[in-house]
Amino acid sequence: MSMFKIFNVAGSAVSAQSQRLNVVASNLANADTVAGPDRAAYKARQVVFTTTPMGEVGTAGVTVSQVTEDNSPGRRVLDPKHPQADADGYVTYSNVNTVEEMVNMISASRSYQNNIEVMNTAKSLLMKTLQMGQGG
Amino acid sequence: MLNRLTDSLNFQAEALSLRSERQRLIASNIANADTPGYVARDFDFATALRQATGQGSVGDSSVHTPKLTMAASNGGHLNRNGQPVGGRDQPDMNYALASQTNLDSNTVDMDRERANFADNTVRYEATLRFINSQVRTLNTAITGQ
């Protein structure tokens, strides 16, 4: 039954997309983080998807191969009264781009939904296949 | 005599198995919609069914080309698709071209894949119904009601 592989394929995609959603959530949560005493602010993270072959030809799942850090400099704001301000009076925030993260989140949740729907369809087809020949 | 009863069922069984293979393929495409560099794949159902059932081209049913298979004398032999022998031959896969330009060279077109998936689902169910109704017909014939 080659259709059972659909659960592996769509399942791997769902878990990869949920990991992406997780990373987006932690980026958004840290969007306004200020650099600590070590002067290192939170760096935005991105997941990297890779195709994983699953046995037969054309059966390809997805895995998160690595999580990369965005090394662009953080947002610097002049605020001398801020307790975390440096010698020049600047506060360094994390380099998270909130708009980018929101777009990323919508894209991830749409893909997640798509794969859940694929699994539901495959399930109902398999249930009907199990009842084959029973007069239905 | 019995094979006359089941011959038509065999054809539907091949169709059903190809439909499920195509379903798996489209599911893979949908799963990889966000993977950079992934190339969507699909196969032509009509050609694959003709290959699987060993029938000639459409409109020329007298031509009966038997399917050529390679001899596999050892369990480690691979078929022409590079798969271990034993299973049925995989249909010839095609690669989809990107319908829109894409920076990450991913050629999955979600609209197309969703449409193909829905289409394939309905046709799978149709094949199931054909099989069910044939079984019902055969049962009626056997029981003589």
Side-chain angles (χ1 to χ4, degrees), chain A residues 14-15 17 22-23 40 52 54 73 82-83 88-89 91 105 109 114 129 133:
Chain A
V14 164
S15 90
Q17 296 292 353
N22 241 330
V23 169
T52 328
M54 290 185 165
H82 198 283
D88 303 326
V91 184
M105 183 180 80
S109 76
N114 272 335
T129 313

Side-chain angles (χ1 to χ4, degrees), chain B residues 58-129:
Chain B
V58 173
D60 187 13
S61 54
S62 61
V63 182
H64 190 87
T65 37
K67 199 176 180 185
L68 291 175
T69 47
M70 284 190 282
S73 51
N74 183 298
H77 284 167
L78 304 175
N79 66 15
R80 62 195 163 92
N81 289 316
Q83 296 291 305
V85 287
R88 209 161 41 77
D89 270 1
Q90 296 274 342
D92 298 326
M93 307 273 186
N94 298 318
Y95 292 95
L97 291 173
S99 53
Q100 297 174 45
T101 47
N102 235 337
L103 273 180
D104 62 358
S105 69
N106 181 311
T107 69
V108 178
D109 177 356
M110 215 21 146
D111 303 326
R112 186 185 61 207
E113 301 299 339
R114 290 286 298 252
N116 281 348
F117 194 78
D119 175 89
N120 204 54
T121 304
V122 174
R123 284 168 201 266
Y124 185 95
E125 282 207 47
T127 309
L128 271 181
R129 286 196 191 187

